[in-house]
Structures are given as structure tokens and as C-alpha cells.
Amino acid sequence: MKEKPDAQHPATLDECRRCDLWRNATQPVGGQGARHVKLMLVGEQPGDQEDLAGKPFVGPAGALLDDALEAAGIDRREVYVTNAVKHFKWELRGKRRMHKTPAQKEVAACHYWLEAELESVAPVVVVALGATALKSVLQNSSAALKDYMDQPVERNGRWIVATYHPAYALRLPDSEARAAARQAIVDALLEAKRFL
Ligand code: SF4
């Protein structure tokens, strides 16, 4: 008999109360893309624009990601894009809702949904964009991005490739560092392509 949904096993993202992030967000932002694609990209959490649109990677970081995908020769329609955390965590600075890094307990709570996506999409390769995504994908709260950059690892029969989050590249103060971070993302996507 099918288990009845409960607080720890919500049936839909809209019903989810596994952590408190739903309280201040406009809506949950689930993954987007065709089912059963071979490549999944995982970011941290929706940003301001994603929260309003209800879609992942549609803001400035999404534009950089699209650009990196194009540079790597990957069609976004053949990729499943999601986040480790499905509600936008923010704090008000002036009139702007500014991104706030999710706490480990929130990442752990939301892994419930990422696990469901991994099961249903069953990708061959997962690109973890940034440290939060990496920790969630590896289920290791002490995983450090620097230890996995340029060193893909195999977990549960799939390859995990780690790189920067596009928002990190956008935040870098000088143009040379921004270009280097963008290139690292392109290189990671090219690496991921080799496993397909
Ligand atoms: S962030 Fe994730 S775990 Fe927390 S309420 Fe939203 S969907 Fe549920």
C-alpha cells in the first residue's frame, strides 16, 4: 500500500514544510528539463528572479550558464537543470532581497527533492555548480569545492563534476578573474560531456 504523504514526505514541492524556507519565498522552484537526459546541472538555490518566475537559472547567473553551455556545445534543452534547495533564502538590504546561503540543515532537508530528481532523471553525469550543490550531491557536508575541481568522482554509478556557481563568477571584482571563473565552468561542462 502506498504510504500517505506526511510532513517528512510531502507529495509536492508546494506542500513542502521540511524546513522554514517556504515561509519567505514566493514559490518553490523545481528542476526543469527533459526527463531521462544524461546530464544534470545542480545549482545552489533559486535567486530573486527565479523565485518570481518559478523557474531555475533565468536570472543573470542563468544567462552566464547559458553562455557557458553554448561555449561547451551543449544544448540546454538536453540538460536537466535544478538546485540543491528549492526555495529562495534571502535577507532585505535596503529594498532589495539579497541572496543568503542556505544552512546545512536546509540543504539536508531539501536533499529529499534532489534525491527524487536524481532517481527520476537518472543522469549519467551531474555537474555540481558551487559548494552547496557539491555537498548535497555527495551527501557530504564537509566537501570542499577546491578538492573536487578538475577531479570528477564516481558516486552511485554516476560521475560528479564540480565547478563554480555562475553567480560566483559574476560577483568577482575584476574582469580577468571573472573570465577565468567562466572558463572553469566551460571546462567542467566539456569534462562532463566526455562522460556522456
Ligand atoms: S527549501 Fe526544500 S525542504 Fe525547505 S521547504 Fe522548500 S522545498 Fe521544502
Side-chain angles (χ1 to χ4, degrees):
M1 200 167 74
K2 215 173 164 190
E3 222 179 291
K4 205 174 153 213
D6 58 44
Q8 284 311 302
H9 303 90
T12 66
L13 279 174
D14 284 321
E15 288 169 14
C16 187
R17 304 291 183 262
R18 286 174 56 88
C19 76
D20 281 339
L21 293 187
W22 64 274
R23 291 181 186 279
N24 294 326
T26 307
Q27 58 193 321
V29 179
Q32 195 177 40
R35 295 282 154 174
H36 309 304
V37 290
K38 292 182 178 168
L39 178 58
M40 181 187 277
L41 309 184
V42 182
E44 184 195 71
Q45 64 167 352
D48 184 70
Q49 292 190 32
E50 287 83 7
D51 169 78
L52 297 172
K55 292 179 184 158
F57 284 100
V58 293
L64 194 147
L65 182 63
D66 285 347
D67 171 57
L69 282 166
E70 197 181 334
I74 298 172
D75 187 339
R76 181 157 164 175
R77 288 169 302 183
E78 288 169 16
V79 174
Y80 186 89
V81 182
T82 192
N83 283 300
V85 170
K86 311 301 193 216
H87 278 106
F88 178 35
K89 184 173 183 179
W90 55 276
E91 61 188 351
L92 206 56
R93 274 193 233 149
K95 286 186 178 166
R96 296 184 64 195
R97 299 189 304 170
M98 300 302 289
H99 159 276
K100 207 172 169 195
T101 303
Q104 185 47 43
K105 64 178 184 188
E106 292 153 351
V107 178
C110 217
H111 186 79
Y112 172 81
W113 295 109
L114 183 61
E115 195 57 47
E117 290 173 299
L118 287 166
E119 217 170 276
S120 121
V121 178
V124 176
V125 192
V126 175
V127 177
L129 299 162
T132 300
L134 182 67
K135 287 173 184 173
S136 186
V137 167
L138 293 179
Q139 283 281 270
N140 175 0
S141 60
S142 51
L145 196 56
K146 64 177 171 43
D147 295 335
Y148 290 88
M149 295 271 294
D150 305 318
Q151 295 192 61
V153 287
E154 202 178 358
R155 285 288 187 287
N156 304 323
R158 62 176 61 100
W159 285 95
I160 314 298
V161 176
T163 189
Y164 300 121
H165 192 286
Y168 166 79
L170 291 174
R171 279 197 305 271
L172 288 168
D174 72 275
S175 58
E176 219 171 282
R178 275 199 301 278
R182 176 197 171 275
Q183 190 56 47
I185 296 171
V186 174
D187 291 346
L189 292 170
L190 288 168
E191 181 77 43
K193 230 172 122 177
R194 280 191 272 277
F195 291 113
L196 298 177

